[in-house]
Amino acid sequence: MLRAAQRHVSRDARRYATVTESARFPKPGDTLHGFTLRRVKHVPELELTALHLQHDRTGAEHLHVARDDRNNVFSIAFKTNPPDDTGVPHILEHTTLCGSKRYPVRDPFFKMLPRTLSNFMNAFTSSDHTSYPFATTNAQDYQNLMSVYLDATLNPLLQGNDFTQEGWRVGPEDPLSAERSPLVFKGVVYNEMKGQMSDASYLFYIRFQDHIFPSIHNSGGDPQKITDLTHEQLTAFHAEHYHPSNAKIFTYGDMPLAHHLKQIAGQLESFGPIEADRAIKQPIGLQDGPKSITVKGPIDTLVDKDMQFKTSTSWLMGDASDILETFSLGIMSSLLLDGYGSPLYVNLIEAGLGPDWSPNTGFDGSGKTGIFSVGLAGVREADVPRVKEAIHKTLRDVYEKGFDKSKVDGLLHQLELGLKHKTATFGMALMQRLQPGWFNGVDPFDALAWDSTVSAFKQRLAQGRYLEGLLEKFLLNDRTLTFTMEPSATYGDELASEEAARLAAKIAEVTQTSGGESQGRALLERREVELLEVQEAARAQDLSCLPSVHVRDIPRVKETKEVRDSLLGDVKAQWRVAPTNGLTYFRAVNTFDNLPDELRMYIPLFTDSIMRLGTRDRTMEQLEDLIKLKTGGIRACYQASTSPQNIDVASEGIVVSGYALDQNVAAMYELIHTLILETDFDSPAAEGKIRQLLQGAASGAVNSVAESGHAYAMRFAAAGLTRQGRLNEDVAGLTQVQLTASLASRSLSDGLGDVIEKLKAIQDVAVAGGSSMRTALTCGRESIATNEAELQRFLTRLPLGRSTPEQASSTSPRNSKTFFPLPYQVYYSALALPTVPFTHGASAALQILSQLLTHKHLHHEIREKGGAYGGGAYARGLGGLFGFYSYRDPNPQNTLKIMSSAGAWARDREWTDRDMEEAKLSVFQNLDAPESVSEEGMTRFLQGVSDEMMQRRREQLLDVKAEDVKQVAQRYVVERVDSGNLVVLGKKKDWVQEQDGWKPRDLGMAQAADEEAVEPQQLAASGLGAS
């Protein structure tokens, strides 16, 4: 055994050396395919070699990171300082992907999604740059996607109808309606940003950015300004910014650099140099003393009406190109803010000034100048000035007392574990970490110098009061910007009125230029019909110019990761032995039988509470310090899973997980035992801390729904169909949001005694040492014996399982049409249908059907023609569900019709071999995506899906025929659409009528009697105030 392990390590070492050794690459000064290699840097601690090249003709920069990682990454990015708030960088990001010279088809980006085996494809508009990344393990796929991305960005068609589809236009709401349809603003980005502006957290952050960084406009676009952008301005912006001279190219992985350079050079050869837009924007100056800004924002309907203010105080920090100082400021920020024992948490949130941090809180080192902000959401008006006072006082106190070295050691330990923890997305994360600084004057080679930066930090720290000196230098002053958002009861109405006035003005412009009202309307209707014709013609477009990988590239038999099982007493243990860099990963599931609903809904609060309250012997601050010093983190959460053989059978339980260096495994188990079994729910401070957890969760709930409304709609739709659907809705859906808001709004006089009793009841059954528990460990071969002994010791200390009260299994009462009125400018919808178990023969065909509907029908109808930001179909093989969704959707009525008729459309379509090929490729993108070592074997452990089941599923997916798709479309979609659950979230309008079957479900507004409002001094009196 030992010799085999040594041979394996030796092979890994040779492979690593082969990929990253400097001898494989050109020397600095050498030229290859029109690129000159400027410098090379080997970074052993990250197991990589970085090469910085420059294109001789255009000046394009290229950073290649060679690493023994088969998940290869590419990105091309451009500096795109926005000239105004019209969102031109964002709309350009969309329209570049709508067709190019080499690939003159409509939307090649979306057409490529089912022609690739990539595990990541996207494009991002950041505040001052735009990037186009992808990741894949397939060499041919990499070349295909690089060709499409380079041509899309450098040679896009940027046609007028692409601009109106993706950006904005005025047109009839329903152009195919027989009745006269009202004229409205339309456009994918326009509706996306209306959805973003419905998120109060995003709104606060973007308005803060407007004032601290006025030189950088809103790159995403403000809906009030998007409609000022013209097609001519868009094309001019592309010509000025999307040029190799303004580009930074990133490649990563184990594929040969020379191949990349040859292909990239072929795309760049037609370009000459231009004067690139490399301007690095700076925030406002604060050297003249404090500045204060107050703006208006929406009311959060799930939060106490008296806790509606958000406020923050910000300082400008150092030059981000000083890597050591920037790293040190990040450490200082974590010491000040992270964890329940951090000084700012104690003196702001625990002191009762507000339940949660403001969206901009923290250290932002992504720009040329760093910015440090501290603020709160859910603040009372009278407390707004007190927040700033408390921040200043806390910083002065910290400076005088100094930072605790053990806390610094804990953060450094976390960084060490982060280096050892092997993830499947290292390359993409590295690109996203380096790119912002690269565009703002930070040398990526300096940013990669991890060991030297940490060593320099430790040296400075050893000299004494290094971090305190940084705190004094940057924060012990009032050169600040205080930014506050105050609630406005008319905010939503004012937005609607502004949009109506702006729409009327745009219509008036068309009326004037076209010769009259009827002529103007006719022109807008004709343009809309012309766009529909272009969109419809794209369905039959010849796509043969687009490259593709093939199903034949997918191995029929997938290599499995070897796992073994053992029995420790009555507890089953799964073992995955693999190289882990000296880490051990632990998971345990304690399964509940017949858990009462009233307890289940409190499990999220329980898992939050055990990481907040502390024990009789230790404060949470002390426990947090130990977690950081001894582990990479400990987590507890709820889990439910459906049987692979029967969708009516679902199990539920609490999952506990953590990881640590092999030598710290015993300490990790001790901490898990302490947190779950010894958390003190009876302490005098417990109720106040639980109240703060509830208020913090409620204050972010509306924004969470705004960000992922379709996921909440899908969850609620599933709740009435399967047991797992019901369980997930209870703990993570709108039902949980409503419970949290209700508990958060309770007055002090009502108390939370009944809640605490439920939490204690959960504690009694949370973990047990009997047959209800199963565990999984992933570790290196060298630590098996130690891990087995420590696990046995941990299990013997657990109490025996206690039975829970009997309760029959159930689902939520089915309601076929549910509407949740919420204060959003766009809609989120879902339709869910019950189907078959994972092992059923039809399940694979349903998964293929979901991809066919998404890529061949729903994207076209819901996004392109309907203007929603997104929509599609999904098949949950492990949940026994098939369904549809849309998000940031301006026209849900039309979407619901499309969803209802989608099954018949699929049944009647003659699917081609190419259609089937693309759908299978789409499925295998996720199925064969690289896994982090810590995730290997987890589908088996958590979901009960054996390797044999997975292999059989794989073969079924590869063997699905067109006729199979048509049959499942008829049997499980057409025939069951009337028995499905339909859910819509958004602003209630006249079409939501109970006589039409709609059942409105109001989440409610938190109410608190004025005389029983929770004041800071009351929280302090309850044992929660700062000590």
PDB file of all heavy atoms in Angstrom, residues 57 75 85 181 187 200 226 275 282 295 312 321 325 348 376 547 555 617 663 697 756 827 923 950 957-958 989:
ATOM      1  N   ARG A  57       2.164  43.709 -32.568  1.00  0.00           N
ATOM      2  CA  ARG A  57       1.536  44.663 -33.489  1.00  0.00           C
ATOM      3  C   ARG A  57       0.549  45.589 -32.786  1.00  0.00           C
ATOM      4  O   ARG A  57       0.492  46.785 -33.052  1.00  0.00           O
ATOM      5  CB  ARG A  57       0.843  43.900 -34.624  1.00  0.00           C
ATOM      6  CG  ARG A  57       0.166  44.771 -35.669  1.00  0.00           C
ATOM      7  CD  ARG A  57      -0.327  43.916 -36.825  1.00  0.00           C
ATOM      8  NE  ARG A  57      -1.170  44.674 -37.732  1.00  0.00           N
ATOM      9  CZ  ARG A  57      -0.711  45.489 -38.672  1.00  0.00           C
ATOM     10  NH1 ARG A  57       0.591  45.663 -38.821  1.00  0.00           N
ATOM     11  NH2 ARG A  57      -1.559  46.130 -39.468  1.00  0.00           N
ATOM     12  N   SER A  75     -10.170  33.935 -21.152  1.00  0.00           N
ATOM     13  CA  SER A  75     -10.943  35.175 -21.032  1.00  0.00           C
ATOM     14  C   SER A  75     -10.298  36.244 -21.898  1.00  0.00           C
ATOM     15  O   SER A  75      -9.070  36.353 -21.941  1.00  0.00           O
ATOM     16  CB  SER A  75     -10.988  35.656 -19.580  1.00  0.00           C
ATOM     17  OG  SER A  75     -11.523  36.977 -19.506  1.00  0.00           O
ATOM     18  N   ASP A  85     -24.679  56.937 -17.729  1.00  0.00           N
ATOM     19  CA  ASP A  85     -25.469  55.901 -17.062  1.00  0.00           C
ATOM     20  C   ASP A  85     -26.386  55.142 -18.018  1.00  0.00           C
ATOM     21  O   ASP A  85     -27.326  54.471 -17.586  1.00  0.00           O
ATOM     22  CB  ASP A  85     -26.326  56.526 -15.948  1.00  0.00           C
ATOM     23  CG  ASP A  85     -25.492  56.993 -14.765  1.00  0.00           C
ATOM     24  OD1 ASP A  85     -24.380  56.467 -14.586  1.00  0.00           O
ATOM     25  OD2 ASP A  85     -25.954  57.891 -14.031  1.00  0.00           O
ATOM     26  N   SER A 181     -52.851  46.863 -28.104  1.00  0.00           N
ATOM     27  CA  SER A 181     -51.990  46.610 -26.954  1.00  0.00           C
ATOM     28  C   SER A 181     -51.264  47.890 -26.575  1.00  0.00           C
ATOM     29  O   SER A 181     -50.813  48.638 -27.449  1.00  0.00           O
ATOM     30  CB  SER A 181     -50.979  45.520 -27.306  1.00  0.00           C
ATOM     31  OG  SER A 181     -50.202  45.185 -26.191  1.00  0.00           O
ATOM     32  N   GLY A 187     -36.940  45.358 -23.922  1.00  0.00           N
ATOM     33  CA  GLY A 187     -35.503  45.139 -24.065  1.00  0.00           C
ATOM     34  C   GLY A 187     -34.977  44.282 -22.932  1.00  0.00           C
ATOM     35  O   GLY A 187     -35.364  44.455 -21.770  1.00  0.00           O
ATOM     36  N   ALA A 200     -33.227  46.338  -3.138  1.00  0.00           N
ATOM     37  CA  ALA A 200     -32.831  47.530  -2.373  1.00  0.00           C
ATOM     38  C   ALA A 200     -31.358  47.505  -1.995  1.00  0.00           C
ATOM     39  O   ALA A 200     -30.724  48.557  -1.883  1.00  0.00           O
ATOM     40  CB  ALA A 200     -33.698  47.651  -1.119  1.00  0.00           C
ATOM     41  N   ILE A 226     -31.083  54.388 -19.681  1.00  0.00           N
ATOM     42  CA  ILE A 226     -30.856  53.429 -20.763  1.00  0.00           C
ATOM     43  C   ILE A 226     -31.549  53.868 -22.036  1.00  0.00           C
ATOM     44  O   ILE A 226     -31.016  53.716 -23.149  1.00  0.00           O
ATOM     45  CB  ILE A 226     -31.331  52.019 -20.329  1.00  0.00           C
ATOM     46  CG1 ILE A 226     -30.354  51.420 -19.309  1.00  0.00           C
ATOM     47  CG2 ILE A 226     -31.477  51.084 -21.523  1.00  0.00           C
ATOM     48  CD1 ILE A 226     -30.789  50.095 -18.726  1.00  0.00           C
ATOM     49  N   GLU A 275      -4.672  54.240 -29.822  1.00  0.00           N
ATOM     50  CA  GLU A 275      -4.484  54.816 -28.491  1.00  0.00           C
ATOM     51  C   GLU A 275      -5.595  54.268 -27.597  1.00  0.00           C
ATOM     52  O   GLU A 275      -6.759  54.650 -27.734  1.00  0.00           O
ATOM     53  CB  GLU A 275      -4.541  56.340 -28.542  1.00  0.00           C
ATOM     54  CG  GLU A 275      -4.112  57.017 -27.253  1.00  0.00           C
ATOM     55  CD  GLU A 275      -2.653  56.748 -26.890  1.00  0.00           C
ATOM     56  OE1 GLU A 275      -1.817  56.646 -27.819  1.00  0.00           O
ATOM     57  OE2 GLU A 275      -2.365  56.630 -25.690  1.00  0.00           O
ATOM     58  N   GLN A 282     -10.543  57.504 -10.417  1.00  0.00           N
ATOM     59  CA  GLN A 282     -10.311  57.638  -8.982  1.00  0.00           C
ATOM     60  C   GLN A 282     -11.595  58.074  -8.275  1.00  0.00           C
ATOM     61  O   GLN A 282     -12.442  58.747  -8.880  1.00  0.00           O
ATOM     62  CB  GLN A 282      -9.225  58.683  -8.716  1.00  0.00           C
ATOM     63  CG  GLN A 282      -7.846  58.291  -9.214  1.00  0.00           C
ATOM     64  CD  GLN A 282      -7.145  57.304  -8.285  1.00  0.00           C
ATOM     65  OE1 GLN A 282      -7.738  56.824  -7.326  1.00  0.00           O
ATOM     66  NE2 GLN A 282      -5.887  57.021  -8.575  1.00  0.00           N
ATOM     67  N   VAL A 295     -30.007  59.895   0.170  1.00  0.00           N
ATOM     68  CA  VAL A 295     -30.877  59.665  -0.989  1.00  0.00           C
ATOM     69  C   VAL A 295     -32.097  58.884  -0.518  1.00  0.00           C
ATOM     70  O   VAL A 295     -32.120  58.347   0.589  1.00  0.00           O
ATOM     71  CB  VAL A 295     -30.143  58.889  -2.101  1.00  0.00           C
ATOM     72  CG1 VAL A 295     -28.903  59.644  -2.573  1.00  0.00           C
ATOM     73  CG2 VAL A 295     -29.770  57.484  -1.631  1.00  0.00           C
ATOM     74  N   SER A 312     -23.942  54.253   5.945  1.00  0.00           N
ATOM     75  CA  SER A 312     -22.566  53.756   6.006  1.00  0.00           C
ATOM     76  C   SER A 312     -21.588  54.920   6.047  1.00  0.00           C
ATOM     77  O   SER A 312     -21.896  56.029   5.603  1.00  0.00           O
ATOM     78  CB  SER A 312     -22.257  52.870   4.799  1.00  0.00           C
ATOM     79  OG  SER A 312     -22.214  53.642   3.610  1.00  0.00           O
ATOM     80  N   SER A 321      -1.860  48.990  -5.834  1.00  0.00           N
ATOM     81  CA  SER A 321      -0.658  48.373  -6.408  1.00  0.00           C
ATOM     82  C   SER A 321       0.382  48.049  -5.335  1.00  0.00           C
ATOM     83  O   SER A 321       1.330  47.312  -5.604  1.00  0.00           O
ATOM     84  CB  SER A 321      -0.049  49.281  -7.473  1.00  0.00           C
ATOM     85  OG  SER A 321       0.353  50.515  -6.909  1.00  0.00           O
ATOM     86  N   GLU A 325       0.532  46.277   1.450  1.00  0.00           N
ATOM     87  CA  GLU A 325      -0.390  47.117   2.202  1.00  0.00           C
ATOM     88  C   GLU A 325      -1.835  46.709   1.940  1.00  0.00           C
ATOM     89  O   GLU A 325      -2.656  46.646   2.864  1.00  0.00           O
ATOM     90  CB  GLU A 325      -0.182  48.590   1.837  1.00  0.00           C
ATOM     91  CG  GLU A 325      -1.012  49.538   2.706  1.00  0.00           C
ATOM     92  CD  GLU A 325      -0.668  50.989   2.437  1.00  0.00           C
ATOM     93  OE1 GLU A 325      -1.158  51.532   1.413  1.00  0.00           O
ATOM     94  OE2 GLU A 325       0.077  51.576   3.237  1.00  0.00           O
ATOM     95  N   LEU A 348     -21.943  47.678  17.052  1.00  0.00           N
ATOM     96  CA  LEU A 348     -22.981  48.184  16.145  1.00  0.00           C
ATOM     97  C   LEU A 348     -24.200  47.278  16.152  1.00  0.00           C
ATOM     98  O   LEU A 348     -25.294  47.682  16.542  1.00  0.00           O
ATOM     99  CB  LEU A 348     -22.416  48.316  14.724  1.00  0.00           C
ATOM    100  CG  LEU A 348     -21.290  49.320  14.513  1.00  0.00           C
ATOM    101  CD1 LEU A 348     -20.823  49.295  13.068  1.00  0.00           C
ATOM    102  CD2 LEU A 348     -21.732  50.728  14.879  1.00  0.00           C
ATOM    103  N   LEU A 376     -24.822  49.951   8.377  1.00  0.00           N
ATOM    104  CA  LEU A 376     -25.894  49.074   8.823  1.00  0.00           C
ATOM    105  C   LEU A 376     -27.140  49.269   7.981  1.00  0.00           C
ATOM    106  O   LEU A 376     -27.409  50.364   7.475  1.00  0.00           O
ATOM    107  CB  LEU A 376     -26.247  49.353  10.281  1.00  0.00           C
ATOM    108  CG  LEU A 376     -25.178  49.074  11.340  1.00  0.00           C
ATOM    109  CD1 LEU A 376     -25.687  49.502  12.713  1.00  0.00           C
ATOM    110  CD2 LEU A 376     -24.775  47.605  11.346  1.00  0.00           C
ATOM    111  N   PRO A 547     -18.846  25.987 -34.815  1.00  0.00           N
ATOM    112  CA  PRO A 547     -18.139  24.748 -34.473  1.00  0.00           C
ATOM    113  C   PRO A 547     -18.872  23.983 -33.383  1.00  0.00           C
ATOM    114  O   PRO A 547     -19.706  24.541 -32.664  1.00  0.00           O
ATOM    115  CB  PRO A 547     -16.783  25.251 -33.987  1.00  0.00           C
ATOM    116  CG  PRO A 547     -17.074  26.609 -33.420  1.00  0.00           C
ATOM    117  CD  PRO A 547     -18.163  27.183 -34.280  1.00  0.00           C
ATOM    118  N   PRO A 555     -17.302   9.784 -23.241  1.00  0.00           N
ATOM    119  CA  PRO A 555     -17.111   8.353 -22.955  1.00  0.00           C
ATOM    120  C   PRO A 555     -18.400   7.718 -22.434  1.00  0.00           C
ATOM    121  O   PRO A 555     -19.106   8.303 -21.611  1.00  0.00           O
ATOM    122  CB  PRO A 555     -16.011   8.337 -21.894  1.00  0.00           C
ATOM    123  CG  PRO A 555     -16.020   9.704 -21.304  1.00  0.00           C
ATOM    124  CD  PRO A 555     -16.476  10.637 -22.370  1.00  0.00           C
ATOM    125  N   ASP A 617     -19.640  27.747  28.989  1.00  0.00           N
ATOM    126  CA  ASP A 617     -18.227  27.924  29.338  1.00  0.00           C
ATOM    127  C   ASP A 617     -17.463  28.817  28.378  1.00  0.00           C
ATOM    128  O   ASP A 617     -16.398  29.336  28.736  1.00  0.00           O
ATOM    129  CB  ASP A 617     -17.523  26.558  29.391  1.00  0.00           C
ATOM    130  CG  ASP A 617     -18.176  25.623  30.379  1.00  0.00           C
ATOM    131  OD1 ASP A 617     -18.606  26.104  31.435  1.00  0.00           O
ATOM    132  OD2 ASP A 617     -18.277  24.418  30.077  1.00  0.00           O
ATOM    133  N   GLN A 663      -3.665  16.958  11.417  1.00  0.00           N
ATOM    134  CA  GLN A 663      -3.296  17.003  12.837  1.00  0.00           C
ATOM    135  C   GLN A 663      -4.326  17.730  13.700  1.00  0.00           C
ATOM    136  O   GLN A 663      -4.244  17.682  14.930  1.00  0.00           O
ATOM    137  CB  GLN A 663      -1.920  17.658  13.021  1.00  0.00           C
ATOM    138  CG  GLN A 663      -1.852  19.121  12.625  1.00  0.00           C
ATOM    139  CD  GLN A 663      -1.319  19.305  11.213  1.00  0.00           C
ATOM    140  OE1 GLN A 663      -1.518  18.440  10.364  1.00  0.00           O
ATOM    141  NE2 GLN A 663      -0.611  20.405  10.977  1.00  0.00           N
ATOM    142  N   ALA A 697     -32.008  38.385   9.175  1.00  0.00           N
ATOM    143  CA  ALA A 697     -32.522  37.564   8.072  1.00  0.00           C
ATOM    144  C   ALA A 697     -33.697  38.247   7.386  1.00  0.00           C
ATOM    145  O   ALA A 697     -33.813  38.234   6.159  1.00  0.00           O
ATOM    146  CB  ALA A 697     -32.932  36.190   8.598  1.00  0.00           C
ATOM    147  N   ILE A 756     -37.566  29.493  21.545  1.00  0.00           N
ATOM    148  CA  ILE A 756     -36.399  28.888  22.193  1.00  0.00           C
ATOM    149  C   ILE A 756     -36.690  27.446  22.585  1.00  0.00           C
ATOM    150  O   ILE A 756     -35.822  26.566  22.461  1.00  0.00           O
ATOM    151  CB  ILE A 756     -35.978  29.731  23.412  1.00  0.00           C
ATOM    152  CG1 ILE A 756     -35.382  31.064  22.922  1.00  0.00           C
ATOM    153  CG2 ILE A 756     -34.989  28.982  24.298  1.00  0.00           C
ATOM    154  CD1 ILE A 756     -35.059  32.055  24.014  1.00  0.00           C
ATOM    155  N   TYR A 827     -41.373  40.424 -13.101  1.00  0.00           N
ATOM    156  CA  TYR A 827     -42.031  39.248 -12.534  1.00  0.00           C
ATOM    157  C   TYR A 827     -41.122  38.023 -12.564  1.00  0.00           C
ATOM    158  O   TYR A 827     -40.169  37.947 -13.345  1.00  0.00           O
ATOM    159  CB  TYR A 827     -43.323  38.940 -13.301  1.00  0.00           C
ATOM    160  CG  TYR A 827     -44.386  39.984 -13.138  1.00  0.00           C
ATOM    161  CD1 TYR A 827     -44.371  41.144 -13.914  1.00  0.00           C
ATOM    162  CD2 TYR A 827     -45.414  39.847 -12.209  1.00  0.00           C
ATOM    163  CE1 TYR A 827     -45.339  42.123 -13.763  1.00  0.00           C
ATOM    164  CE2 TYR A 827     -46.392  40.817 -12.049  1.00  0.00           C
ATOM    165  CZ  TYR A 827     -46.345  41.956 -12.832  1.00  0.00           C
ATOM    166  OH  TYR A 827     -47.306  42.928 -12.685  1.00  0.00           O
ATOM    167  N   VAL A 923     -26.611  18.374 -21.438  1.00  0.00           N
ATOM    168  CA  VAL A 923     -26.755  17.594 -20.210  1.00  0.00           C
ATOM    169  C   VAL A 923     -25.392  17.201 -19.655  1.00  0.00           C
ATOM    170  O   VAL A 923     -25.129  17.303 -18.444  1.00  0.00           O
ATOM    171  CB  VAL A 923     -27.616  16.344 -20.464  1.00  0.00           C
ATOM    172  CG1 VAL A 923     -27.537  15.387 -19.278  1.00  0.00           C
ATOM    173  CG2 VAL A 923     -29.070  16.744 -20.724  1.00  0.00           C
ATOM    174  N   MET A 950     -25.740   5.639 -11.516  1.00  0.00           N
ATOM    175  CA  MET A 950     -25.203   6.728 -12.325  1.00  0.00           C
ATOM    176  C   MET A 950     -24.778   6.229 -13.704  1.00  0.00           C
ATOM    177  O   MET A 950     -24.991   6.896 -14.718  1.00  0.00           O
ATOM    178  CB  MET A 950     -24.021   7.388 -11.616  1.00  0.00           C
ATOM    179  CG  MET A 950     -24.405   8.263 -10.443  1.00  0.00           C
ATOM    180  SD  MET A 950     -25.502   9.647 -10.889  1.00  0.00           S
ATOM    181  CE  MET A 950     -24.446  10.570 -12.008  1.00  0.00           C
ATOM    182  N   LEU A 957     -29.175   8.369 -20.972  1.00  0.00           N
ATOM    183  CA  LEU A 957     -29.091   9.697 -21.567  1.00  0.00           C
ATOM    184  C   LEU A 957     -28.493   9.637 -22.965  1.00  0.00           C
ATOM    185  O   LEU A 957     -28.978  10.287 -23.905  1.00  0.00           O
ATOM    186  CB  LEU A 957     -28.255  10.622 -20.683  1.00  0.00           C
ATOM    187  CG  LEU A 957     -28.910  11.080 -19.382  1.00  0.00           C
ATOM    188  CD1 LEU A 957     -27.869  11.697 -18.446  1.00  0.00           C
ATOM    189  CD2 LEU A 957     -30.031  12.084 -19.652  1.00  0.00           C
ATOM    190  N   LEU A 958     -27.431   8.863 -23.128  1.00  0.00           N
ATOM    191  CA  LEU A 958     -26.788   8.759 -24.440  1.00  0.00           C
ATOM    192  C   LEU A 958     -27.684   8.065 -25.462  1.00  0.00           C
ATOM    193  O   LEU A 958     -27.569   8.320 -26.669  1.00  0.00           O
ATOM    194  CB  LEU A 958     -25.468   7.999 -24.303  1.00  0.00           C
ATOM    195  CG  LEU A 958     -24.341   8.741 -23.571  1.00  0.00           C
ATOM    196  CD1 LEU A 958     -23.184   7.804 -23.266  1.00  0.00           C
ATOM    197  CD2 LEU A 958     -23.871   9.937 -24.379  1.00  0.00           C
ATOM    198  N   LYS A 989     -51.681  42.943 -10.667  1.00  0.00           N
ATOM    199  CA  LYS A 989     -52.444  43.733 -11.628  1.00  0.00           C
ATOM    200  C   LYS A 989     -53.813  43.104 -11.848  1.00  0.00           C
ATOM    201  O   LYS A 989     -54.149  42.067 -11.258  1.00  0.00           O
ATOM    202  CB  LYS A 989     -51.668  43.850 -12.945  1.00  0.00           C
ATOM    203  CG  LYS A 989     -50.389  44.680 -12.819  1.00  0.00           C
ATOM    204  CD  LYS A 989     -49.756  44.961 -14.174  1.00  0.00           C
ATOM    205  CE  LYS A 989     -48.543  45.875 -14.033  1.00  0.00           C
ATOM    206  NZ  LYS A 989     -47.903  46.154 -15.352  1.00  0.00           N
TER     207      LYS A 989
END
